[in-house]
Amino acid sequence: MAARAAAGRMRRFWGLCGGPSPLRAFATIIPRVSQVDNSSDFLGNVPHRRHPGVLYLRSVRLPAELVKAAQLLVEQSTVHGLKDQVVSLTNYLWSRKRPLEASELQRRGQQLEQQLREKVQPRTADASSPLTDAEVEKLQRRVLNRLRKTTYHWEALRYTDELSLVYMVARLDGGFAAVSRAFHEIQKRAPAFAPRTLLDFGSGTGSVSWAAHGAWGQTLCGSESPRTPLFPGVYFRQFLPVSPKVKFDLVVSAFSLNELPSLAERRETIRTLWRKTDGFLVLVENGTKEGHQMLMEAREIILGGGDKVAHDPREAHVFAPCPHHLPCPRLNPEQPLPCNYLQAYHPLPFRWNPALKEELFSFLILRRGPGVGEEPWPRITQAVLGRAQHVHCHLCCADGSLQHAVITARRHGRDLYRCARLSHWGDRLPVTMPHGEAVPGE
């Protein structure tokens, strides 16, 4: 509900303004990126709407068996007011923030205390006299009261049977859609990748396993479960494998990082997941500032190295969505914006759901080893705006910059113009940097 409303507001905003007003000044021909990467004649007889940078995925449908199982669980449940609980939980999860670190809480308390002390004890000639015990006690109470009102209070979710059912109804379909889009990126750009093992951290509703089975069901396998599921090779464990020799072709954490109570635990978990990764690590979170910042936090941890117990010398490579290894240009301290994407899907067929919904999410895919042979094409980070004889594209480029490109057939050629006009939010635009210029992150 909340994600859908946010997506609608974002679309209306970009549709009316053509981008935020500060970016209008940067509307330009793509600097240093102004020609179609057609060195290998990749277009051939393929239409422009299917150019190799297209990553658009049509509306996702849940597997029929999964829909049937979800409906059966709801029919058998005794939960009252399910729709209202689903809406409430959805809004709560969308607005959830990371736990505040003790050091940050202490810093805020000291800053607040100093501000209140200056009001109680003005800077006058005799202001050096200490506060009385009663004044100190009153000041401390005011600081605590103000902190309680202004500080986000993170709480761990206790998944009872009832809350688990509500969570399934609220998040099964949207989570499946987001993960399916991330897997689609790997399938499209690395078609030779055929994982045989999968680790799903914080498996929740099992949507990751279902999406992976739908994408690579012919190759994924594992140990048989005592209770044979619809697809074999699934087993569960409470803790991550300790042995450094145990690795997985595909490691996924979807909507789980914010369940960890501290930055220290997030860091250790990210490092452990990366140690377990033999091929790709996929991280998916809500398409909010918090979700995006947690992913950038994970990106920095992995790219920064420093793992004292590393058992794999292969370096980390950012596969998606960033076309570079540089700091995220959207993490502007003055006005940070989330890097997020939309995926349409058919929700569970409950009476309160519309026929079609959209999931707004952020994702990060990292790969073991260098990105040899991968084109550093820019990523389209917002809805493409087609206007009369020109197209507006907002791009994250290989040099770590955000560019608002205005593309016309007259100035850029028909191929680039048609490719841009037929692209979608989240696609890559097949344009190159001139020869001799270094590509950051490679």
Side-chain angles (χ1 to χ4, degrees):
M1 306 290 180
R4 186 182 178 196
R9 289 194 299 271
M10 186 173 295
R11 275 189 164 154
R12 288 193 295 272
F13 178 73
W14 291 113
L16 290 171
C17 301
S21 54
L23 285 180
R24 287 186 174 179
F26 297 104
T28 178
I29 300 172
I30 312 172
R32 304 183 306 282
V33 185
S34 57
Q35 60 185 2
V36 170
D37 184 1
N38 202 19
S39 56
S40 59
D41 191 30
F42 61 70
L43 284 175
N45 295 322
V46 175
H48 292 91
R49 68 177 180 273
R50 292 164 60 186
H51 69 78
V54 170
L55 295 163
Y56 174 73
L57 180 62
R58 293 182 180 274
S59 302
V60 172
R61 288 184 182 273
L62 288 167
E65 300 91 342
L66 191 53
V67 172
K68 184 178 179 180
Q71 288 178 308
L72 181 61
L73 287 171
V74 171
E75 289 172 4
Q76 294 175 345
S77 75
T78 58
V79 177
H80 297 291
L82 182 58
K83 176 186 175 181
D84 292 339
Q85 291 196 52
V86 166
V87 172
S88 178
L89 180 62
T90 300
N91 292 335
Y92 171 75
L93 292 174
W94 183 255
S95 61
R96 203 175 187 204
K97 301 181 183 298
R98 289 166 291 177
L100 190 66
E101 297 299 309
S103 57
E104 175 63 15
L105 183 61
Q106 183 179 16
R107 185 193 68 79
R108 292 186 185 183
Q110 291 172 346
Q111 185 179 33
L112 185 57
E113 181 181 354
Q114 181 62 30
Q115 293 172 354
L116 295 175
R117 185 182 290 272
E118 289 175 358
K119 291 181 179 180
V120 173
Q121 187 182 36
R123 295 182 180 278
T124 60
D126 58 348
S128 57
S129 58
L131 297 176
T132 65
D133 292 344
E135 289 175 328
V136 170
E137 186 177 351
K138 183 179 179 180
L139 179 65
Q140 291 176 343
R141 285 200 304 269
R142 291 184 64 189
V143 169
L144 290 175
N145 287 335
R146 186 74 64 86
L147 284 175
R148 290 191 187 100
K149 292 179 180 179
T150 60
T151 301
Y152 178 79
H153 181 57
W154 182 91
E155 289 183 314
L157 287 173
R158 307 298 178 187
Y159 284 97
T160 61
D161 290 345
E162 180 172 321
L163 182 57
S164 297
L165 179 78
V166 175
Y167 182 85
M168 179 204 71
V169 176
R171 296 298 304 140
L172 175 61
D173 42 16
F176 178 87
V179 173
S180 295
R181 170 59 182 83
F183 289 169
H184 176 72
E185 176 114 9
I186 299 175
Q187 282 186 297
K188 188 76 182 291
R189 295 176 53 197
F193 179 67
R196 296 183 59 83
T197 54
L198 162 71
L199 171 63
D200 177 14
F201 173 73
S203 55
T205 62
S207 56
V208 168
S209 296
W210 280 94
H213 181 71
W216 299 288
Q218 300 300 316
T219 60
L220 277 172
C221 63
S223 303
E224 290 287 344
S225 170
R227 293 177 290 178
T228 304
L230 286 173
F231 50 90
V234 178
Y235 62 96
F236 301 89
R237 60 188 307 160
Q238 186 175 359
F239 303 104
L240 289 168
V242 176
S243 173
K245 296 181 180 179
V246 179
K247 285 181 174 289
F248 300 85
D249 298 330
L250 180 63
V251 177
V252 184
S253 170
F255 308 101
S256 297
L257 294 180
N258 209 13
E259 299 296 328
L260 302 174
S262 67
L263 174 60
E265 289 202 32
R266 289 199 304 275
R267 282 175 174 164
E268 184 55 35
T269 298
I270 289 297
R271 290 192 180 106
T272 301
L273 293 177
W274 181 240
R275 290 175 206 144
K276 299 301 174 189
T277 301
D278 195 47
F280 286 92
L281 171 63
V282 178
L283 306 175
V284 183
E285 292 293 336
N286 287 333
T288 59
K289 291 181 183 179
E290 286 292 313
H292 175 228
Q293 288 173 4
M294 279 190 289
L295 295 182
M296 292 303 95
E297 184 181 271
R299 181 181 184 265
E300 182 180 358
I301 290 169
I302 295 174
L303 294 182
D307 191 349
K308 298 180 181 180
V309 290
H311 299 280
D312 193 325
R314 293 176 295 169
E315 294 183 355
H317 173 75
V318 177
F319 184 79
C322 321
H324 57 80
H325 286 193
L326 299 169
C328 178
R330 289 210 160 200
L331 290 182
N332 186 324
E334 297 179 0
Q335 188 181 9
L337 295 172
C339 177
N340 49 27
Y341 302 89
L342 280 174
Q343 178 57 51
Y345 65 96
H346 296 271
L348 288 167
F350 297 124
R351 65 182 183 278
W352 57 80
N353 276 334
L356 198 65
K357 295 176 73 173
E358 291 179 322
E359 177 76 3
L360 186 64
F361 67 99
S362 297
F363 75 109
L364 174 67
I365 304 177
L366 296 113
R367 185 180 194 172
R368 281 282 185 190
V372 178
E374 293 180 6
E375 311 87 349
W377 295 341
R379 176 83 55 170
I380 300 174
T381 59
Q382 293 161 20
V384 174
L385 301 177
R387 295 293 183 260
Q389 300 182 355
H390 67 280
V391 182
H392 291 261
C393 287
H394 295 265
L395 307 170
C396 181
C397 301
D399 63 357
S401 67
L402 291 174
Q403 301 292 343
H404 177 183
V406 180
I407 303 171
T408 68
R410 182 177 179 181
R411 302 185 70 175
H412 300 90
R414 180 176 179 274
D415 280 340
L416 178 54
Y417 173 72
R418 293 295 297 167
C419 285
R421 195 169 191 90
L422 295 169
S423 294
H424 298 82
W425 183 357
D427 289 347
R428 299 192 305 154
L429 196 61
V431 292
T432 56
M433 301 176 80
H435 295 295
E437 183 153 353
V439 180
E442 294 294 325

